[in-house]
Amino acid sequence: MKNKKPEFNRIAIKIGSNVISQSDGSLNVSRMLRLVEDVAVLVRQGTEVILISSGAVAAGRSEISPSKKTNVISAKQIWAAIGQVKLMSNYQFLFSKYGIHAGQVLATKDSFRDRMHYLNMKNCISSMLENRVLPIVNENDTVSINELMFTDNDELSGMISSMMDCESLFILTNVDGVFNAVPGCQDAKIIKEVGMDSVDHSKYISTSKSGFGRGGMLTKYSISRKIASEGVDVFIANGTRDSIITDIIRRKEVPYTHFVAGTGMKNGVKKWLSHSDTFAKGSVVINDGAKEALLGNRATSLLMIGITKIEGFFKNGDIVRIFDKEGNNIGLGKAQYDSKKAEQNIGDKRGKPFIHYDYMVINEKIKENHQA
């Protein structure tokens, strides 16, 4: 069965710091203009575009050197506060040349913490698109702390593209795609396509990071595979090449790595849950019977009779992880009991499920291995 062709009615574009920053960290406005021109072509054709742009911290760093008594976290917050203004003012000026209104959306990982926060952000971006305002999303580095930071804007772009039901995500970096060795090495070749059944190339990818960005190619690879599994085509390409986005969409012979979208698209709730592991408040251990049921092909809720142990403190509505007795992470979901009541009802044959199927996601790798 052939893969269906990617669609581009609504797309997300992530622009890395190394694409739009010069060697001193200042913004490369001429490169930003080339990217804005490319986006403007798509907007005129009726494509809905969501931009996720890094570069604020790097831009701020080029403007000011904090005093020696300023700690690292505070310095980054200062750079972000200064740089975000510069970043957005440049984007607004450049997009205005093409009659496009651009609006800022700042996010922290806490914005995805619960379903209400998640839907508030989705409704905000949806309203912007409906009113022909191009959303420019960035992590709010002025208030983010380590526990609530995205791995980098690659992770944020994946969460945004999934949340907004984008058909495609473009991750623009300063190399031509994912290589099977360090780019520039004699035997390094670009990996043109990664499918759901492709071998895991992560062991061949360099873990080094370059320039001003927080993320590396290994992060981009793992996030791209995850987002593709949720039904989004992902393209990793070189944002320093002119017209790279429109060239890919027009299927021109340009270098990039394409992560082919899987067919098993999740619904809205399960998409939210797929990116909520870091918000889990506790966990439960299940018996073999519950494990068999959850890893089978039938839609099954987790019942109290299948639970053998409650770990941690959580409230009704919190996200909890599900483990088997060997410690394997089976999945996670939204609890319908608090930890105290769950403890009291372990083994109960009656009553409502601990986690309803509609509010549960299963670890696909565990499921595949179990059914193999």
Side-chain angles (χ1 to χ4, degrees):
M1 181 177 172
K2 290 187 176 180
N3 296 316
K4 68 180 182 67
K5 290 184 178 179
E7 297 181 19
F8 306 100
N9 297 306
R10 175 181 287 182
I11 67 173
I13 302 170
K14 186 267 177 173
I15 300 174
S17 296
N18 290 316
V19 174
I20 57 173
S21 296
Q22 302 186 92
S23 58
D24 64 352
S26 60
L27 292 174
N28 186 338
V29 180
S30 62
R31 174 48 43 197
M32 291 176 71
L33 175 59
R34 298 282 86 81
L35 291 164
V36 166
E37 288 173 342
D38 216 14
V39 171
V41 171
L42 297 174
V43 172
R44 281 200 299 266
Q45 294 173 350
T47 300
E48 291 184 330
V49 178
I50 302 167
L51 211 60
I52 299 93
S53 181
S54 302
V57 174
R61 187 184 284 120
S62 69
E63 290 292 311
I64 187 173
S65 297
S67 65
K68 292 182 179 179
K69 66 179 182 180
T70 307
N71 63 44
V72 174
I73 294 175
S74 297
K76 183 181 176 183
Q77 290 173 323
I78 293 169
W79 290 328
I82 295 171
Q84 190 63 34
V85 174
K86 286 189 64 181
L87 185 68
M88 276 306 302
S89 62
N90 276 284
Y91 272 128
Q92 284 192 314
F93 173 73
L94 295 172
F95 275 115
S96 69
K97 289 177 172 288
Y98 297 91
I100 297 172
H101 294 288
Q104 175 178 264
V105 179
L106 292 176
T108 66
K109 206 160 190 176
D110 203 42
S111 306
F112 297 83
R113 173 173 49 86
D114 59 36
R115 188 74 179 143
M116 185 178 71
H117 281 73
Y118 183 88
L119 291 176
N120 281 343
M121 176 167 282
K122 182 173 183 176
N123 290 338
C124 171
I125 297 175
S126 296
S127 296
M128 293 173 77
L129 293 173
E130 287 168 8
N131 287 276
R132 298 187 179 182
V133 177
L134 191 145
I136 302 179
V137 187
N138 194 5
E139 180 171 9
N140 191 353
D141 290 305
T142 57
V143 298
S144 289
I145 55 175
N146 288 338
E147 293 80 3
L148 290 176
M149 287 175 67
F150 298 100
T151 306
D152 48 47
N153 270 352
D154 298 319
E155 182 184 13
L156 174 59
S157 70
M159 294 172 81
I160 291 291
S161 60
S162 175
M163 177 179 74
M164 296 307 302
D165 302 315
C166 294
E167 294 149 334
S168 301
L169 165 64
F170 293 79
I171 298 179
L172 302 184
T173 182
N174 58 352
V175 293
D176 288 331
V178 181
F179 287 77
N180 60 2
V182 177
C185 291
Q186 185 176 358
D187 298 325
K189 294 181 180 179
I190 196 166
I191 301 168
K192 293 184 178 180
E193 186 173 284
V194 179
M196 289 295 100
D197 299 325
S198 296
V199 297
D200 186 1
H201 299 283
S202 59
K203 61 184 177 182
Y204 304 114
I205 300 171
S206 171
T207 57
S208 63
K209 300 174 186 179
S210 60
F212 301 103
R214 266 206 326 266
M217 188 55 73
L218 192 57
T219 303
K220 291 175 175 58
Y221 177 85
S222 60
I223 287 170
S224 297
R225 288 205 74 154
K226 179 174 183 176
I227 298 305
S229 73
E230 296 176 15
V232 180
D233 283 285
V234 184
F235 302 86
I236 296 180
N238 194 334
T240 66
R241 289 179 176 268
D242 290 347
S243 306
I244 185 64
I245 307 164
T246 50
D247 282 351
I248 292 173
I249 290 175
R250 290 166 180 166
R251 295 180 173 83
K252 291 191 176 182
E253 285 296 320
V254 291
Y256 59 86
T257 299
H258 176 203
F259 293 77
V260 180
T263 55
M265 254 183 117
K266 295 180 173 70
N267 64 29
V269 173
K270 290 184 183 284
K271 281 185 178 182
W272 164 61
L273 287 169
S274 294
H275 298 275
S276 297
D277 183 72
T278 53
F279 304 123
K281 299 293 186 180
S283 61
V284 297
V285 178
I286 60 175
N287 59 31
D288 290 339
K291 179 179 176 179
E292 286 294 327
L294 294 181
L295 297 181
N297 289 320
R298 293 180 61 185
T300 306
S301 299
L302 176 59
L303 307 178
M304 290 305 306
I305 194 172
I307 297 174
T308 60
K309 187 178 181 181
I310 305 294
E311 298 178 336
F313 173 80
F314 51 85
K315 299 175 183 177
N316 181 355
D318 282 344
I319 295 168
V320 296
R321 298 185 182 96
I322 306 166
F323 294 97
D324 64 13
K325 62 185 182 183
E326 283 80 32
N328 297 309
N329 189 345
I330 303 299
L332 53 77
K334 186 177 178 182
Q336 296 197 88
Y337 296 85
D338 60 39
S339 51
K340 184 178 180 180
K341 189 171 182 181
E343 187 81 49
Q344 294 170 347
N345 287 278
I346 284 180
D348 190 359
K349 297 180 180 180
R350 296 166 295 180
K352 64 185 178 183
F354 175 70
I355 300 175
H356 191 277
Y357 171 78
D358 291 339
Y359 289 87
M360 184 194 314
V361 289
I362 298 299
N363 185 325
E364 292 299 328
K365 282 189 176 180
I366 294 286
K367 185 173 182 176
E368 288 171 11
N369 293 337
H370 183 75
Q371 293 180 349

